[in-house]
Amino acid sequence: MLGDLGTAGLAVGLACATLTALLWLRVALFGTAVRTARIGTAASLAAAALACALLETALLRHDFSVRFVAENGGRHVPLYHTVTSLWSALDGSLLLWLLVLGGYAALLARRAYPPRLHAYAMVVVSVVMLFFFALSTFAANPFRSMSPVPVDGPGPNPLLQQHPAMGVHPPLLYAGYLGLVVPFAFALAAPLAGREGAGWVRVARPWALVAWAALTGGIGLGAWWSYAVLGWGGYWAWDPVENASLLPWLTATAFLHTTLVRGRAAWHSALACASFLLVLLGTFLTRSGAVASVHAFTDSPLGPMLLGFVLLAVLASTVLTGRRAPEPARPGRPPALSRPTLALVNGVLLVTIAAVVLIGTILPLLSAPVSGTRASVGPAYYQRTAVPLAVVVLLVMGVAPALRVRDRSAALRRLAVPAGAGLGTVALVGLLSRPGLAALTAFGAAGFVLTGLTGEAAHRLRRSGPHRRPGRLGGLAAHAGLALVAVGVAGSSAYARDAERTLRVGETLRVGDVAVRLDGVERTGGEETMTVRARLAVTASGRAAPALTPALRYHPARDTAVTVPAIRAGLLGDTYVTLIAVAADSGSATVRLAVNPLVGLLWAGGALTAAGGLLAAAATARSRTRPADRGEHPRPTPVAVGAGAET
């Protein structure tokens, strides 16, 4: 029953999305009322919400006649993980994707923008929603029936049940991915809207900021999940699916930087389109089985459809943005040492990093059909190419605050204190330790950036007026967060130490000033899971610390063993212990002990960066409501778009 209702809901959603795209096209072409088109958008969202609600109901009722529930649900699964099972596998995750996309479409439909620009943008968003409804209906329907009906299910992937971030990470990541459809839609709509499309960057920027902040939070939570669950002790492995989330973040960051520079319409369009096209490419990589990854879904029939839509989107972007009229000649170029110039430089650097990461991600896929063997691109490639460019981005970011004054000589004098702080950081760290050239440069760049941002923030807080606008302070917070992330990455990479050994009960393993002693092994078992834990006494700098109990869990239903690391987080570093193996007589265990300094700065910096982006987005959105701003983008009137304009 629930399966039939869910399939019907998807079919209704597909019909609503198709009709909605046509209704918004009619609004764009003929200036008709928007009320009906808005109703169609709301109906598409309602269909997506109904499909999600029906699948959640089937999961909660343990209705194993629905194939998705039979493959991913289970009577033994806790309530939290039963709810989050919706996005634990391919078919269900597409329903969450549709729900988030429908939410953005409904919000965009209710906003008041220049009529033709708004209508054409809604056509683009509706077509994207139509495609994903078709994908879910015909190729990835989670409501297919199961026969014979099993008595119980295996539950979701055990790795997805080890950390509460599973309930937040995918929705937040999807919010970031799908928020980029709005700048993409405005970029394609602008050439079609004629004169009304001239100000599209300004209306798209708040949406891009929200999407960027959500994507930042999603990537940060994903790194935390990887660190806390997978047991390998790291947070970023340059995995193809990790790269797929980083790529649109890089181009969206470049878009936000270049929108601060006037008269770069071609740049703005290219970056807005590239950001969402990379989202679609990442969707293809994740959901087609093209790459092997712990983050990716298994093989599926979605690959050809997704690849076809990616190519269609590339073609539409090329054709529509290529129609843009030539930019008028500007009376002069900005000085070489100015904020607009630095914004463009940072944009170029970010795009270069994205190109480097993209090459490393897709090269193995392209090499297999050409040479017959799949090329291997490991972390060393990215460390030699992307990491140095990222340090340069950090340095350029630190120069910008000093350029708020027009006098270039005064600006150079303002750089003296941050530059001194950066050089002092390099000297101090170099004398106390030898972290390597890359880490030392990152420390110095971070010191340079944080000192400059602190001075700029203090200056703005002392002044009144526009200099204290939350949007500007949000930008400073985001930049400071990225500098903290750089310190965390450099510190955890340069100073991390680890050792692995088989310990008998009573023996000790030491790394630096941290030691763990194996006090015993415990085994517990049940029908759902069997667990082996190692009891480890911990001492740090000669003082007793709370005990740690890393574990190995075996899930018979999925025939999967999961490593559960034990982590003691500290202000300056983490003690990270992994249980590798246990002897049959429980008399010994193989343990890996790692000391990871400054990892906490990654999480703090990521949170600060996302918060800064949200603060800037809120301030930018509020600025559109000021009377002085309404002249550029007047609210649509009933005369222009019909009687439903103000509904």
Side-chain angles (χ1 to χ4, degrees), residues 107-108 110-115 117-118 186 196 199-207 469 616-636:
L107 287 173
L108 182 61
R110 300 299 303 178
R111 299 304 299 269
Y113 294 125
L117 176 68
H118 187 205
F186 277 123
E196 287 187 8
W200 74 269
V201 171
R202 191 163 181 273
V203 299
R205 182 175 168 80
W207 296 90
R469 287 179 183 172
T620 304
R622 281 197 300 270
S623 71
R624 293 194 67 256
T625 65
R626 296 192 179 100
D629 294 333
R630 290 175 185 161
E632 183 179 353
H633 299 300
R635 294 175 61 87

Side-chain angles (χ1 to χ4, degrees), residues 154-381:
N157 186 327
L159 285 172
L160 305 180
Q161 301 182 51
Q162 302 301 320
H163 200 281
M166 178 57 192
V168 184
H169 164 57
L172 198 57
L173 201 63
Y174 289 4
Y177 280 153
L178 293 167
L180 294 174
V181 74
V182 179
F184 171 75
F186 277 123
L188 296 190
L192 299 173
R195 294 180 61 184
E196 287 187 8
W200 74 269
V201 171
R202 191 163 181 273
V203 299
R205 182 175 168 80
W207 296 90
L209 279 167
V210 170
W212 181 85
L215 189 55
T216 301
I219 292 172
L221 276 176
W224 185 32
W225 174 83
S226 180
Y227 180 73
V229 169
L230 297 184
W232 62 292
Y235 43 80
W236 192 267
W238 297 103
D239 178 279
V241 179
E242 293 173 343
N243 293 350
S245 65
L246 179 63
L247 286 167
W249 185 89
L250 289 168
T251 52
T253 308
F255 172 75
L256 292 173
H257 278 82
T258 57
T259 55
L260 300 174
V261 183
R262 296 181 181 179
R264 299 287 178 176
W267 266 88
H268 302 154
S269 298
L271 290 172
C273 291
S275 297
F276 189 65
L277 291 174
L278 288 170
V279 169
L280 295 177
L281 178 63
T283 307
F284 166 74
L285 293 175
T286 306
R287 289 172 166 79
S288 65
V291 296
S293 167
V294 69
H295 306 280
F297 297 102
T298 54
D299 291 344
S300 74
L302 274 62
M305 295 179 67
L306 283 168
L307 184 58
F309 190 67
V310 171
L311 296 176
L312 180 63
V314 170
L315 178 63
S317 302
T318 304
V319 171
L320 290 177
T321 58
R323 296 182 59 216
R324 188 177 301 278
E327 297 181 39
R330 290 182 292 278
R333 295 181 178 180
L337 193 62
S338 65
R339 284 190 168 187
T341 301
L342 290 185
L344 288 175
V345 169
N346 249 352
V348 172
L349 288 170
L350 289 164
V351 170
T352 305
I353 296 172
V356 167
V357 175
L358 181 62
I359 291 170
T361 303
I362 66 173
L363 183 61
L365 302 179
L366 299 178
S367 64
V370 173
S371 64
T373 58
R374 177 167 290 206
S376 177
V377 179
Y381 162 79

